[in-house]
Amino acid sequence: MKPWLLALPLLACSHATPQPAAAAPTPAAAAAAPGPGSGPAAAEAIAAFETVRTVLQSPRCVNCHPAGDVPLQGDDGHLHEPPIARGPEGRGVAGISCSACHGKQNLPASYGAHMPPGVSTEWRLPPADHKLVFWGLDSKALCEQIKDPKRNGGKSLAELTHHMTEDALTLWGWAPGYGRKPVAISHEQFVRAYKTWADAGMPCATRTAQNP
């Protein structure tokens, strides 16, 4: 056989029509993709975080995690009355501190509605150096903020989990006292969703829902 005949298959392969490249994802698909660490577990965790987000952005939580330095009140999120400011430690300012009105427990229903709520671990907002704003953030921004020790008050995973699932101040949202609506999602459902998200490494979506 002549040598040039052996070269024909190689020449044919080197000039073969290239395979079409995979189609680029549509903008909608790219937005929904979970990103690094993607897969069924990450997708489930990101979906679970939507339950966490719904709780954190409910009035019971967001009223103490406002965008400004004045706490909010009620299901409509109106400014706190009487006027009070966050203060450097989140406990108000000299002359009008949170503890001046908020005690260690909710007052009995016999006192009527709109009485200052209370909690055993002290009523407060996050300090000024890590305000942990919940309102107005989409899921990605909220997710990244919560798990970032530089923005969550230096909390480790264990400390964050305790605050989210066991802290008396957080549990108050499910027992807010007479005249207030508790968090709509049950505490059991919230804890289950939180742990699904945390156990998967706390993945954040590239872009997802935002509260009104």
Side-chain angles (χ1 to χ4, degrees):
M1 181 179 292
K2 297 181 178 181
W4 60 268
L5 290 176
L6 295 174
L8 284 179
L10 296 175
L11 184 64
C13 290
S14 65
H15 288 78
T17 303
Q19 294 297 313
T26 63
S38 61
E44 181 184 4
I46 288 171
F49 184 76
E50 287 304 295
T51 297
V52 175
R53 180 187 69 83
T54 299
V55 171
L56 299 185
Q57 292 184 327
S58 71
R60 297 291 73 82
C61 295
V62 82
N63 283 356
C64 287
H65 290 266
D69 286 320
V70 178
L72 308 176
Q73 291 178 319
D75 292 337
D76 60 351
H78 61 271
L79 293 177
H80 190 284
E81 285 291 343
I84 188 171
R86 180 191 302 274
E89 297 181 353
R91 293 174 169 84
V93 295
I96 182 165
S97 65
C98 298
S99 60
C101 295
H102 296 274
K104 295 294 186 179
Q105 61 186 5
N106 291 328
L107 293 172
S110 58
Y111 279 66
H114 312 301
M115 290 293 101
V119 68
S120 61
T121 53
E122 188 182 9
W123 201 258
R124 66 190 186 278
L125 274 69
D129 61 356
H130 58 274
K131 297 181 179 180
L132 273 177
V133 175
F134 288 175
W135 186 246
L137 301 183
D138 64 19
S139 297
K140 179 178 184 292
L142 183 64
C143 173
E144 291 177 344
Q145 177 184 218
I146 289 169
K147 69 179 185 178
D148 182 1
K150 294 180 180 178
R151 292 183 284 171
N152 72 12
K155 287 183 174 63
S156 65
L157 174 59
E159 292 168 333
L160 183 63
T161 298
H162 169 77
H163 178 67
M164 285 285 202
T165 63
E166 300 177 42
D167 192 323
L169 190 57
T170 305
L171 294 176
W172 174 90
W174 284 271
Y178 179 71
R180 297 181 185 87
K181 294 179 181 178
V183 174
I185 293 171
S186 74
H187 182 253
E188 291 76 13
Q189 184 181 355
F190 169 72
V191 170
R192 186 163 56 248
Y194 173 84
K195 289 186 175 179
T196 297
W197 173 65
D199 290 348
M202 298 182 168
C204 298
T206 55
R207 188 187 313 127
T208 45
Q210 180 174 334
N211 64 293

